[in-house]
Amino acid sequence: MGFVNEYRAEKAAEALHAQIRHETVAIRDGHPVQVDVTALVPGDVVEVKLGDVVPADLRLLSVTGLECDESVLTGESLPLEKDTAAVPEGAALAELSGCALMGTVVHAGSATGVVVSTGARTGFGAIEAGLGTHQLDTEFQIGLRKFSMLLVYVAGVLTTSIFAINVVLHKPILDALLFSLAIAVGITPQLLPAVVSTSLAAGSRRMSRRKVLVKRLVCIEDLGNVDVLFTDKTGTLTLGHIEYMRAVPAGGGGPDEVLRWGLLCTENTAAVGGNPLDQALWGSPASVAQRSALAGYTRLGVLPFDHERRMISVVVRDPAGHTALVTKGAPETVLDRCTGVPPEARHALNAEFAAGNRVVAVAMRPFPGGQPPAPADEQGLTLLGFLVFLDPPKHDAARSLRRLGDLGIAVKVVTGDNPAVAAKVCHDIGLGDGAALTGAEIGGLDDLQLADAITRTTVFARVNPEHKARIVRVQRLSGGGVAFLGDGVNDALALHAADVGISVDSATDVAKDAADVILLEKDLDVLADGVTEGRRIFANTIKYVLMGTSSNFGNMFSAAGASLFLTFLPMLPSQILLNNLLYDTSQLAIPTDTVDEDQLRRPSHWDIGFIRRFMVFFGPLSSVFDFVTFGVMLWVFHSGPDQFRTGWFVESLATQTLVIFAIRTRRIPFFRSHPSLPLTLGALGVVTVGALLPATPLVGTLGFSPLPGGFFAALAGMVLGYLALIEVGKRIFYRVVRTKPAGPPPGSSRRHLRRRAAYFSTADLSGRRPGQRAEIPFVQGLR
């Protein structure tokens, strides 16, 4: 059963992984096209830009301010500048400045290169191929391991005690040994792996239908533990569909002039690979009228956008032969580099921010010579005006936020946008009216001050990637599960730092690589579905754990007690194993069970202390009715060994199987909490089989004997009394015993290399694919 379910879970994971596409821009037949990274072959010409994960080992052909973060390969924390110059033969990996290596991240600039190696023949692929298949454990797996150790200790104590008692009472040593070993097997929930695998596999299929893809099935439980969500604004709280609205001039020129220079100051004028603002600008009806006027302009050099400067600059020669430096970017940064900004321009900018609009500033200055621009050149600019874009809030954003609030998840917005714009959007959707905390203010706080500020702040604006990661790390120290939802290269650090990194299918490659969970729609409702499913899976797993440990512990406790006064074994080893098999079979339906709403409203964590207290409290309660059964069989029906064992077998199977209806909920079963139909049929079916076994031809083979009719009347009374006692016990237990608060799980940021390896493994890293051209040797090709 374990093999079948784990195989199905593995196939489900493979199917989900196949749906996650990572694409790059390649030049084929002279045109840029989007291709899957696993379809690249040596000889392809590839374009890479800011935020891309380099999809193969590339020999660079042209470079524009390219810097690559190669820490995943070399351990160097600073990005490496790239050029097209050749390097000496035998150069070390960290000295290959003329190439971009697979798995590294474009930190700044852009480039074009030819693919020389793919898959396992790359430097990165060779490292990944040597790592084997073992992955670090998640909190779910760590909890299972701790639970297993608890069972080992309990089984060891019970087995040793029962064997010693039987030997002291002069029982046959072989019988005592077999009986004690059967007790050890009986207390073990053998089908726990099958229940967990079935739950995760079924949950992953349900989550896939809800447009949530989990890279590793065991991460589903981590998603259910989230109680603080940091998210960006664009596309999550807003429609994410940027529309160009208008140009606002700041000087004597008109709006058409601002728009024209804004169109020229773009990194890419093609629809393929452009950023959303530029795509909106070029796709707007207003740009159509300007395109004919752009024909006489020539772009001589580009200084690409990066998240530190937050600007892009382009050197342009106009039809008259004059050259100018045109800069476009975040208004605050651009205005700091401008001279003579009129007060009216600042008033207009503040008005646009107050309306919740996104604004890009455009400025320029003469630039004789036409050489490629550098950051030092972005000074002494003249402000031309502003380009205004609209990204309105989603109509269902407020409802989605309320739903997350009902799940016990606090939502906080972390954005690089203007504080006024971010606060306006959050106010419109009911996320809070407090002031935004800016990146500059965060930089002046120590960790303790920032932790206090996070509890009182909903919006963090104008933050850089390091600020985002620090916010996440500090929040994790405060306890609870922390998730980060982002889709840009500037979100990668925070995605790594969070307990659960969440991205979307349309995100940048580096963001998808850093994430644990991929949403096929950037929608908080989809995320809420994923959290709910994660909590449902964990809740059903814990049902089996609590029920199995308490009922099995009770039965084994009863067996140990019976050994003290009976002259024969209270149940044969084979009967104990049969009882355990039938009982576990009924529990296979637990993954289908419904979960009470109050269990879904808050995150749950593994708590071995709580499980231990539950087992010690409820186990002896079941033993009470076992001893009642012993009395009924000995003093009412005057049973011999075979009939005694038969009566206890039927009673123990009935009580420990039917108690699932009480254990599965803190409410009153059937009246305020309804089990699933498969679970109900499974439990009742197993009890029926157990009651009928003594009347079958197998009675002699199994060591049973027929039971008197009066026994079944007594059995019905004992079952009803047992369930009533459990209900009373539940009220006492949950009133007195409190689950200790779970601390924050340790981070999973050390899985970076494996996460990134998955980026390239839709096929695998094992060499050439069908139709692939011959590989160029790694070092020779890079030289």
Side-chain angles (χ1 to χ4, degrees), residues 440-460:
E441 295 167 335
I442 291 172
L445 303 176
D446 61 28
D447 285 355
L448 288 177
Q449 293 170 328
L450 180 56
D452 180 62
I454 290 174
T455 61
R456 297 179 282 102
T457 305
T458 302
V459 181
F460 303 85

Short mmCIF file of all heavy atoms in Angstrom, two decimals, residues 440-460:
data_model
loop_
_atom_site.label_atom_id
_atom_site.label_comp_id
_atom_site.label_asym_id
_atom_site.label_seq_id
_atom_site.Cartn_x
_atom_site.Cartn_y
_atom_site.Cartn_z
N ALA A 440 13.79 53.82 3.74
CA ALA A 440 14.73 54.70 4.45
C ALA A 440 14.50 54.63 5.95
O ALA A 440 15.46 54.62 6.74
CB ALA A 440 14.57 56.13 3.94
N GLU A 441 13.23 54.57 6.37
CA GLU A 441 12.93 54.48 7.81
C GLU A 441 13.33 53.11 8.36
O GLU A 441 13.80 53.00 9.50
CB GLU A 441 11.44 54.74 8.03
CG GLU A 441 11.02 56.17 7.68
CD GLU A 441 9.51 56.33 7.60
OE1 GLU A 441 8.82 55.32 7.36
OE2 GLU A 441 9.04 57.46 7.77
N ILE A 442 13.15 52.06 7.57
CA ILE A 442 13.54 50.72 8.01
C ILE A 442 15.04 50.65 8.26
O ILE A 442 15.51 50.03 9.22
CB ILE A 442 13.10 49.67 6.97
CG1 ILE A 442 11.58 49.55 6.95
CG2 ILE A 442 13.74 48.31 7.26
CD1 ILE A 442 11.05 48.69 5.82
N GLY A 443 15.80 51.32 7.39
CA GLY A 443 17.26 51.30 7.54
C GLY A 443 17.73 51.90 8.85
O GLY A 443 18.83 51.59 9.32
N GLY A 444 16.93 52.77 9.47
CA GLY A 444 17.31 53.38 10.73
C GLY A 444 16.86 52.61 11.96
O GLY A 444 17.07 53.08 13.09
N LEU A 445 16.24 51.44 11.78
CA LEU A 445 15.74 50.65 12.91
C LEU A 445 16.61 49.43 13.13
O LEU A 445 17.07 48.79 12.16
CB LEU A 445 14.30 50.20 12.66
CG LEU A 445 13.25 51.29 12.38
CD1 LEU A 445 11.91 50.65 12.06
CD2 LEU A 445 13.13 52.23 13.58
N ASP A 446 16.83 49.08 14.40
CA ASP A 446 17.46 47.79 14.67
C ASP A 446 16.40 46.70 14.63
O ASP A 446 15.20 46.98 14.44
CB ASP A 446 18.21 47.79 16.00
CG ASP A 446 17.30 48.06 17.21
OD1 ASP A 446 16.10 47.74 17.14
OD2 ASP A 446 17.79 48.60 18.22
N ASP A 447 16.80 45.44 14.82
CA ASP A 447 15.86 44.33 14.64
C ASP A 447 14.71 44.38 15.65
O ASP A 447 13.57 44.07 15.32
CB ASP A 447 16.60 42.99 14.74
CG ASP A 447 17.40 42.69 13.49
OD1 ASP A 447 17.30 43.48 12.53
OD2 ASP A 447 18.14 41.68 13.47
N LEU A 448 15.01 44.75 16.90
CA LEU A 448 13.95 44.81 17.91
C LEU A 448 12.94 45.90 17.57
O LEU A 448 11.73 45.71 17.69
CB LEU A 448 14.55 45.05 19.29
CG LEU A 448 15.31 43.88 19.92
CD1 LEU A 448 15.92 44.29 21.26
CD2 LEU A 448 14.38 42.68 20.10
N GLN A 449 13.44 47.05 17.14
CA GLN A 449 12.55 48.14 16.76
C GLN A 449 11.74 47.77 15.52
O GLN A 449 10.55 48.09 15.43
CB GLN A 449 13.35 49.42 16.51
CG GLN A 449 14.00 50.00 17.75
CD GLN A 449 14.98 51.11 17.43
OE1 GLN A 449 15.64 51.09 16.39
NE2 GLN A 449 15.08 52.09 18.33
N LEU A 450 12.39 47.10 14.57
CA LEU A 450 11.67 46.70 13.36
C LEU A 450 10.60 45.67 13.69
O LEU A 450 9.48 45.72 13.14
CB LEU A 450 12.65 46.13 12.33
CG LEU A 450 12.03 45.67 11.01
CD1 LEU A 450 11.25 46.79 10.34
CD2 LEU A 450 13.10 45.13 10.07
N ALA A 451 10.89 44.72 14.58
CA ALA A 451 9.89 43.71 14.97
C ALA A 451 8.67 44.38 15.57
O ALA A 451 7.53 43.99 15.29
CB ALA A 451 10.50 42.72 15.97
N ASP A 452 8.89 45.40 16.38
CA ASP A 452 7.76 46.14 16.97
C ASP A 452 7.01 46.91 15.90
O ASP A 452 5.77 46.96 15.90
CB ASP A 452 8.28 47.08 18.06
CG ASP A 452 7.16 47.87 18.71
OD1 ASP A 452 6.27 47.24 19.32
OD2 ASP A 452 7.14 49.11 18.59
N ALA A 453 7.75 47.50 14.96
CA ALA A 453 7.10 48.28 13.89
C ALA A 453 6.28 47.38 12.97
O ALA A 453 5.21 47.79 12.49
CB ALA A 453 8.16 49.03 13.09
N ILE A 454 6.74 46.16 12.74
CA ILE A 454 6.00 45.25 11.84
C ILE A 454 4.63 44.95 12.40
O ILE A 454 3.64 44.85 11.66
CB ILE A 454 6.81 43.96 11.63
CG1 ILE A 454 8.05 44.24 10.77
CG2 ILE A 454 5.96 42.88 10.96
CD1 ILE A 454 8.99 43.06 10.63
N THR A 455 4.53 44.79 13.72
CA THR A 455 3.23 44.47 14.32
C THR A 455 2.23 45.61 14.14
O THR A 455 1.03 45.39 14.16
CB THR A 455 3.38 44.17 15.83
OG1 THR A 455 3.90 45.34 16.49
CG2 THR A 455 4.34 43.00 16.05
N ARG A 456 2.74 46.85 13.98
CA ARG A 456 1.85 48.02 13.88
C ARG A 456 1.72 48.55 12.46
O ARG A 456 1.02 49.54 12.25
CB ARG A 456 2.39 49.14 14.78
CG ARG A 456 2.41 48.79 16.26
CD ARG A 456 2.95 49.92 17.13
NE ARG A 456 4.42 49.98 17.08
CZ ARG A 456 5.12 50.85 16.37
NH1 ARG A 456 4.50 51.73 15.61
NH2 ARG A 456 6.44 50.84 16.39
N THR A 457 2.38 47.93 11.51
CA THR A 457 2.43 48.46 10.15
C THR A 457 1.85 47.46 9.17
O THR A 457 2.12 46.26 9.26
CB THR A 457 3.88 48.80 9.75
OG1 THR A 457 4.45 49.68 10.72
CG2 THR A 457 3.92 49.46 8.39
N THR A 458 1.07 47.98 8.24
CA THR A 458 0.48 47.12 7.20
C THR A 458 1.16 47.31 5.85
O THR A 458 1.22 46.38 5.05
CB THR A 458 -1.02 47.42 7.05
OG1 THR A 458 -1.66 47.21 8.31
CG2 THR A 458 -1.67 46.53 6.02
N VAL A 459 1.69 48.51 5.58
CA VAL A 459 2.26 48.83 4.28
C VAL A 459 3.73 49.22 4.44
O VAL A 459 4.06 50.12 5.23
CB VAL A 459 1.49 49.97 3.59
CG1 VAL A 459 2.09 50.26 2.22
CG2 VAL A 459 0.02 49.62 3.46
N PHE A 460 4.59 48.54 3.68
CA PHE A 460 6.01 48.88 3.62
C PHE A 460 6.29 49.29 2.17
O PHE A 460 6.13 48.49 1.25
CB PHE A 460 6.87 47.68 4.01
CG PHE A 460 6.57 47.14 5.38
CD1 PHE A 460 5.53 46.22 5.57
CD2 PHE A 460 7.29 47.55 6.48
CE1 PHE A 460 5.24 45.72 6.82
CE2 PHE A 460 6.99 47.05 7.74
CZ PHE A 460 5.98 46.15 7.92
#
